[in-house]
Amino acid sequence: MNLVINSRDAMPEGGRLTVALERVEINEDRIAGKSGVAPGPFVCLSVTDSGCGIAPENLSRIFEPFFTTKDIGKGTGLGLATVFGIVEQHRAGSK
């Protein structure tokens, strides 16, 4: 929900939000050099929107707790940090 809410907020005048799930098979070549990733079947969750996008200078910080580009009182900066934590916990549980 946090990821979808961010998408909604990036489209104050409306737009298109797409959520998709796809089963993917990750092979040895695709994970080369990535620690903690094993080959096998995965589910890919994609969220895309037609919003304003993320400024390049903010990309490296978007998963930091309390980092936000929203106005004061409009966001806590925990949404994408929560998304990141959920993904990391799931990966740890699948080993």
Side-chain angles (χ1 to χ4, degrees):
M1 285 304 298
N2 287 309
L3 190 54
V4 171
I5 288 168
N6 276 11
S7 287
R8 179 207 60 197
D9 291 349
M11 302 182 294
E13 305 298 318
R16 170 166 270 173
L17 170 65
T18 304
V19 179
L21 285 172
E22 176 184 10
R23 185 181 185 283
V24 296
E25 189 74 29
I26 304 295
N27 62 29
E28 292 280 346
D29 293 337
R30 191 154 178 203
I31 62 169
K34 295 183 175 90
S35 64
V37 180
F42 287 82
V43 174
C44 177
L45 169 65
S46 301
V47 177
T48 57
D49 64 60
S50 59
C52 58
I54 300 169
E57 63 270 17
N58 293 330
L59 283 175
S60 65
R61 301 191 61 202
I62 63 172
F63 296 112
E64 289 179 17
F66 306 109
F67 176 75
T68 184
T69 59
K70 296 178 182 177
D71 293 335
I72 294 174
K74 300 287 183 183
T76 62
L78 292 174
L80 291 181
T82 300
V83 170
F84 183 81
I86 290 167
V87 170
E88 286 297 302
Q89 285 179 347
H90 175 73
R91 182 169 58 172
S94 66
K95 291 180 182 175

